[in-house]
Amino acid sequence: PMAAPAPAASGPPTANPQDKLRFAIMGYINSLAQSSTQLSDEAKESLEVSVQCMSEAFKLKLDDEEASKRLAIKPLTLPKVFDTGLQVLSAAGTHRSQPPHPAAAGVPP
């Protein structure tokens, strides 16, 4: 007997902040591979492979229109978000020279 299909979700699934970060990192690396004039062809290919590996590991695809709608941070860019975060931390006096322990950031050991 075949299993009944899952009921349709109402509206798009909520975007997981970690998936948004992963998607942004993949997009950033992909843009480096596509547009950098300072990288060798071998380096660009390595970046493309890294995006493919992350895509498989995280089950996210940059060319997935639905995922892009849920996860893209446009018009922001990852470097802009990073720079702004550093400025905020610096202004608050909480900037550290070393990142917090990975477990504190929700990253498994």
Side-chain angles (χ1 to χ4, degrees):
M2 293 180 51
S10 58
T14 305
N16 174 338
Q18 290 199 359
D19 281 345
K20 288 180 82 76
L21 177 59
R22 292 170 179 149
F23 198 80
I25 290 169
M26 290 167 54
Y28 174 70
I29 293 172
N30 188 61
S31 70
L32 287 177
Q34 301 300 319
S35 64
S36 179
T37 57
Q38 299 175 357
L39 295 173
S40 68
D41 288 343
E42 185 176 325
K44 289 179 183 182
E45 185 175 343
S46 293
L47 290 175
E48 290 169 0
V49 169
S50 73
V51 171
Q52 292 169 5
C53 290
M54 286 186 285
S55 181
E56 287 295 316
F58 300 132
K59 306 296 185 227
L60 297 172
K61 297 194 181 305
L62 289 176
D63 60 357
D64 179 339
E65 194 173 313
E66 288 301 315
S68 185
K69 286 179 187 175
R70 275 188 309 115
L71 302 172
I73 61 172
K74 290 180 180 181
L76 298 173
T77 63
L78 190 60
K80 182 63 177 170
V81 170
F82 184 78
D83 289 342
T84 301
L86 288 178
Q87 290 173 7
V88 168
L89 290 173
S90 180
T94 58
H95 179 71
R96 301 178 187 182
S97 60
Q98 295 187 359
H101 187 273
V107 178

